[in-house]
Amino acid sequence: MTTHEMLLTAKAACPVLACADSESKNRALLAMADALITGQAEILAANRQDLEAAKGHISPVMLDRLALSEARIANMAEGIRQVAKLPDPVGQVLRRVERPNGIVIEKTAAAMGVVAIIYESRPNVTSDAAALALKSGNVCVLRGGKEAFSSANAIVTALKRGLAAAGMPETLVNLVQDTSRNSANELMEAVGLVDLLIPRGGAGLIRAVTENAKVPCIQTGTGICHIYVDASADLHKALDIIENAKASRPSVCNAEEVLLVHRDIAPEFLPRLRRRLQDDREAQGKPPVRLLADSEAHAILGTELAGPGDFDREFLDYILAVKLVSGVEEAIVHIALHSTGHSEAILTEDSEAAQRFCRLVDSAAVYVNASTRFTDGGEFGLGCEMGISTQKLHARGPMGLEELCTYKYIIHGDGQIR
């Protein structure tokens, strides 16, 4: 099936899903989750093919991003089950107004229609996107990257089995078979067939889609995430948070990429930071974190000097850029100049500094004394996510069910004329 034929099929399936009640959608979701588990042998075999083909072409941390395991498939299935437990947003009355003439106006949540997602090498996006789209009443068209195609294809095959078992059309979840640039361009230009396009991946992909799409799209962000350690910070707590934010899974968009440290505590804190992220991790058999420091931090750390572009890079690796600042004001200014608007954190025991940081940092998620790794649909109680939006209209932050809905006005009258 060509991409255009798939889009026509997806559009034709929209009325079926629009008529489905919450019970039918939840039954389908639970069957899809079960199908992932029963099909895990086929999914893991396909994933091994992808991993073998990718070796030598992508970094070890990106291989980890691509890799699946029984535990990760179980987490994918659990994400679908969590979506099934959430309230159905479709049809919810967001606002009700009764006018003096007796007309009743209800602002009502409604599905977008066909939601297309262009993404790269994370197979779990396949099941997350399918689950969120179905629960929010949308037919999804998935276009994954070539590195993960076998994995995505096996996942979609399992999801379709679940749909069929629940008596729902398999065409509610679709995977584009063409992984060339042509199919991406077709989705970007499919006016009238694609109601919403979501790019999820690296900066190049997101830029290409947002600059060239003729259909409505939501920009999901690259994550140049910052943590600022204030003079009043609890340093032990700060070390725990920084190691988690940088090293727990460096290949994801909510991982920390830049560390800003108050100049007054740098002589005490930076040596402890180096021991924690390098010496201690090596002793534990874990990958150490490369520290790229500005000139001031370099004088204390003695590690590599940061280059001119290192504070504007999404490393997606065990690399952290470190800079000293004079206080919360300079930290806020630096973030304004270099952030991608994803997630930033302040580590402080000063409530006024925390309040000022939260008011002036203009990102989708702003943390006080917590890791940026929490910017995630599951962690935010959304079940899973379609992506992290770094724009302001119409969605911002982790995109769950509500963000995949638009609204329409339903007006009830009794013969009124104007």
Side-chain angles (χ1 to χ4, degrees), residues 60-207:
V61 292
M62 297 308 286
L63 279 172
D64 176 70
R65 189 170 177 162
L66 173 60
L68 289 174
S69 64
E70 288 188 7
R72 286 186 178 179
I73 293 173
N75 287 338
M76 290 159 58
E78 181 57 25
I80 296 177
R81 294 189 184 105
Q82 291 300 320
V83 171
K85 293 178 182 178
L86 295 172
D88 189 340
V90 180
Q92 288 189 8
V93 176
L94 307 175
R95 182 168 173 246
R96 185 180 187 276
V97 177
E98 185 170 348
R99 299 295 297 152
N101 63 2
I103 280 179
V104 175
I105 303 169
E106 294 179 338
K107 183 180 180 181
T108 307
M112 293 279 184
V114 174
V115 175
I117 305 97
I118 301 177
Y119 58 106
E120 293 176 336
S121 61
R122 290 182 65 186
N124 66 291
V125 174
T126 305
S127 59
D128 290 355
L132 288 167
L134 188 133
K135 183 65 178 270
S136 58
N138 296 295
V139 177
C140 69
V141 175
L142 307 165
R143 192 276 190 187
K146 62 181 183 295
E147 298 88 355
F149 178 76
S150 295
S151 305
N153 202 40
I155 291 166
V156 168
T157 299
L159 297 177
K160 285 178 175 289
R161 281 201 301 268
L163 285 169
M168 297 283 268
E170 294 184 16
T171 51
L172 299 182
V173 176
N174 306 277
L175 180 68
V176 174
Q177 300 296 299
D178 175 13
T179 59
S180 73
R181 188 172 296 177
N182 291 337
S183 64
N185 290 337
E186 280 191 77
L187 295 179
M188 287 187 260
E189 296 175 0
V191 176
L193 293 176
V194 170
D195 297 289
L196 177 65
L197 176 61
I198 302 171
R200 182 169 174 177
L205 167 65
I206 293 165
R207 184 169 55 252

Side-chain angles (χ1 to χ4, degrees), residues 2 16 28 34 82 104 118 146 152 155 181-182 188-189 202 213 224 230 246 248 250 257 283 319 334 368-369 377 402:
T2 67
V16 177
D34 290 343
Q82 291 300 320
V104 175
I118 301 177
K146 62 181 183 295
I155 291 166
R181 188 172 296 177
N182 291 337
M188 287 187 260
E189 296 175 0
I224 301 179
D230 193 35
K246 177 69 265 183
S248 62
E257 304 290 22
I319 305 170
H334 178 94
V368 178
N369 294 326
E402 292 180 8

Side-chain angles (χ1 to χ4, degrees), residues 244-268:
N244 176 264
K246 177 69 265 183
S248 62
R249 201 169 182 196
S251 64
V252 293
C253 62
N254 57 22
E256 177 195 8
E257 304 290 22
V258 177
L259 176 65
L260 306 174
V261 178
H262 195 294
R263 193 170 284 117
D264 291 352
I265 61 168
E268 177 187 359

